[in-house]
DNA sequence: TAAATAGTTAACCATTTGGTTAATCTGTTT
DNA sequence: AAACAGATTAACCAAATGGTTAACTATTTA
């Protein structure tokens, strides 16, 4: 059976998945080596194939896990019961935090998805619903209620995602062009956590002036 | 000698670089196969090594070429003699056009840079200047002149880049979540060409109305 | 406790892959 | 045309790589 008895116990199968995750995230499907995964897991290479029949199967497991971590998290943040502006702040803060804690995840997902969109996405046909319908509806409603300017909800959502994700996947480039070290980069990203919501809200908010002195 | 005489003449060396570019851009360093590059170039694999000694050297040539296409182009767009708002429109339009014409470029650059930042960037030490100094200065000046709100130029530049690049590298994801086909995606991107400048300008422009509104 | 089952390994295998060699071809120079 | 230099190729090679086999070792189970 899979479970032995010793308390600090991690199954071989778990160790494999953990190691595979790390290697695949860092090096991608093509760059990853089964031997390296086995070594990192502290087991024999044959055992990889005992649990996961092939490199592809193992990769699929890792990728599915990645998407199933990411998508529900995004959904959860976007579905929070908050007014639009608060939600934008809330999302930015927590999403960037999540990405920073999983530095390799975004590039990994984007790259592999780009390599093989149909093959990968076909496995996620109906499973998790990718569409951020609640958020989209909320934007649409805010427009209708004249709380924000006329805005295409689809574009706004992509704007939000862009502003959060891009700086992280472009980390090496940003460190280069702004001459930052690791610490400087972290500061830059933390600054962004405030900057992004302000930037977005400034753009979509309606300037209520003239008549009543619309305090913020 | 390298040059023959026939008019429709492309050197083997050129054919190699062209094929290598295509393959590396699409499949990345690890995914690319020397044999495939040779086949696509219509030459023998040994000839690859005759001109470029190794896979790495060939890759370096391709990557350098990519950066040397991209960076000066970005610089050129950012250095145009235009008022800030016009420049933002001008940049968005032309940069997105450039990226759409080279769909694989952004993911390629980002991915390989993420795989091996120091190794790759060390080769571009002083060569091309990565920093968009003219644009940064222009923003700073616009702030000083009260033409736009108080804005961190570094953040604004990254905002602009994010909004242009991300939608393109996330193409498969966007097609999935919005249920678009190729044509629908192109429409979405074209819509963005208008959307992005509006979005940015709305955010940073100063609302000049009635009483002075010096708010940050 | 003995048979059966699950977990684990060392050794092995076939294929792929980047790279090399030595020979051949092609055009130029003398 | 003979010599020469660069261009091009077929054949080859060693290392790496994903995957398999057969044996060995717990762990369940009857």
């Amino acid at each position: 059976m899979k479970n032995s008895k010793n308390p600090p116990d991690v199954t071989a199968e778990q160790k494999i998945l953990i190691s595979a995750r790390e290697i695949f995230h860092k090096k991608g499907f093509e760059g990853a080596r089964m031997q390296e995964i086995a070594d990192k897991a502290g087991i024999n290479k044959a055992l990889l194939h005992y649990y996961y029949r092939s490199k592809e199967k193992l990769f699929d497991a890792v990728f599915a896990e990645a998407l199933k971590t990411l998508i529900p998290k995004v959904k959860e943040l976007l579905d929070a019961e908050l007014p639009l502006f608060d939600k934008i702040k809330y999302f930015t803060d927590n999403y960037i935090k999540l990405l920073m804690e999983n530095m390799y995840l975004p590039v990994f997902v984007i790259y592999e998805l780009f390599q093989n969109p149909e093959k990968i996405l076909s496995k996620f046909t109906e499973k998790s619903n990718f569409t951020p319908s609640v958020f989209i509806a909320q934007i649409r409603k805010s427009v209708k209620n004249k709380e924000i300017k006329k805005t295409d909800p689809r574009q706004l959502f992509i704007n939000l995602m862009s502003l959060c994700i891009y700086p992280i996947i472009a980390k090496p480039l940003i460190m280069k062009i702004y001459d930052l070290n690791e610490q400087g980069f972290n500061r830059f990203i933390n600054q962004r956590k405030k900057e992004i919501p302000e930037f977005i809200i400034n753009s979509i908010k309606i300037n209520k002036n003239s008549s009543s002195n619309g305090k913020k």
Side-chain angles (χ1 to χ4, degrees), chain A residues 51-63:
Chain A
Y51 285 110
Y52 304 84
R53 285 183 19 198
S54 67
K55 189 184 183 184
E56 259 177 61
K57 292 264 172 55
L58 181 52
F59 174 84
D60 287 349
V62 168
F63 195 90

Side-chain angles (χ1 to χ4, degrees), chain A residues 62-75:
Chain A
V62 168
F63 195 90
E65 180 207 49
L67 270 202
K68 268 160 200 157
T69 307
L70 224 48
I71 307 233
K73 186 69 187 173
V74 169
K75 228 175 180 45

Side-chain angles (χ1 to χ4, degrees), chain A residues 13 49 55 57 64 90 92-93 132 140 142 169 182 209:
Chain A
E13 195 175 358
H49 291 87
K55 189 184 183 184
K57 292 264 172 55
Y90 177 70
T92 303
D93 205 73
R140 197 165 281 132
S142 297
I169 66 185
E182 205 69 32
N209 33 44

